[in-house]
């Protein structure tokens, strides 16, 4: 009987995550791979710069990511009454620890690296590495 209880305790401890979660804002455990969770068409829910809400600066951004590493960024701007659309294709990759995502677009001005703060099926929070912006994305 003691062996069964010991076995059950060891089994439960082995399946419960005991280490720190990968991303500072979670989740602690997911049954879907990181690639499966990040593959989506994302829009900005909230953007923060130096503690200030700058969501309006990002309202017309759409980011589409695939499990295969393809990326598409579409941004629409209204400038002096003229609407301009910015569209670039490229790729995304995780860094070796999968704590950052790196974008390499055809238009190199859009290339960037972000720290992943949260990666869930319906939430992606990123902080610009070396910058001041934090964006919270949600599925389109």
């Amino acid at each position: 009987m003691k062996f069964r209880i010991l076995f059950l305790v060891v089994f439960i401890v082995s399946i419960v995550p005991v280490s720190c979660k990968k991303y500072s804002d979670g989740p602690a455990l997911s049954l879907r791979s990181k690639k499966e969770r990040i593959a989506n068409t994302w829009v900005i829910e909230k953007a923060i710069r130096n503690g200030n809400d700058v969501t309006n600066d990002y309202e017309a951004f759409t980011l589409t990511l695939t499990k295969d590493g393809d990326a598409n960024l579409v941004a629409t701007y209204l400038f002096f009454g003229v609407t301009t659309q910015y569209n670039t294709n490229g790729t995304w990759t995780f860094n070796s620890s999968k704590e950052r995502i790196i974008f390499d677009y055809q238009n190199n001005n859009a290339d960037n690296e972000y720290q992943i703060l949260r990666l869930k099926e319906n939430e992606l929070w990123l902080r610009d590495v070396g910058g001041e912006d934090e964006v919270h994305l949600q599925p389109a």
Side-chain angles (χ1 to χ4, degrees):
M1 182 70 169
K2 288 182 182 182
F3 178 74
R4 287 183 182 177
I5 293 172
L6 179 62
F7 176 78
L8 183 62
V9 169
V10 169
F11 175 74
I12 290 172
V13 169
S14 70
I15 65 169
V16 173
V18 293
S19 63
C20 296
K21 51 189 172 180
K22 172 79 69 183
Y23 307 120
S24 60
D25 288 308
L29 177 66
S30 176
L31 299 178
R32 296 183 68 209
S33 74
K34 290 171 184 58
K35 283 188 174 185
E36 288 176 327
R37 285 181 276 155
I38 210 163
N40 210 332
T41 297
W42 301 97
V43 294
I44 301 290
E45 175 187 13
K46 185 176 187 177
I48 303 162
R49 181 177 300 132
N50 293 325
N52 298 312
D53 188 333
V54 293
T55 305
N56 290 337
D57 294 349
Y58 288 91
E59 280 188 5
F61 280 65
T62 303
L63 176 63
T64 303
L65 306 174
T66 69
K67 286 191 301 187
D68 297 328
D70 295 324
N72 175 261
L73 175 64
V74 177
T76 305
Y77 300 97
L78 182 60
F79 188 70
F80 291 113
V82 178
T83 301
T84 304
Q85 189 172 62
Y86 174 84
N87 188 343
T88 186
N89 292 308
T91 60
W92 70 268
T93 56
F94 289 118
N95 70 340
S96 61
S97 66
K98 295 187 179 180
E99 294 177 353
R100 293 183 177 185
I101 185 170
I102 302 159
F103 294 101
D104 183 18
Y105 289 105
Q106 292 170 344
N107 181 333
N108 291 332
N109 292 329
D111 293 355
N112 211 343
E113 183 173 344
Y114 294 89
Q115 177 184 356
I116 301 170
L117 303 175
R118 176 176 224 141
L119 176 55
K120 295 175 71 176
E121 182 177 351
N122 60 354
E123 291 179 289
L124 174 59
W125 296 4
L126 304 172
R127 180 175 296 127
D128 186 4
V129 173
E132 305 166 347
D133 291 1
E134 179 178 316
V135 291
H136 298 187
L137 298 109
Q138 63 186 12

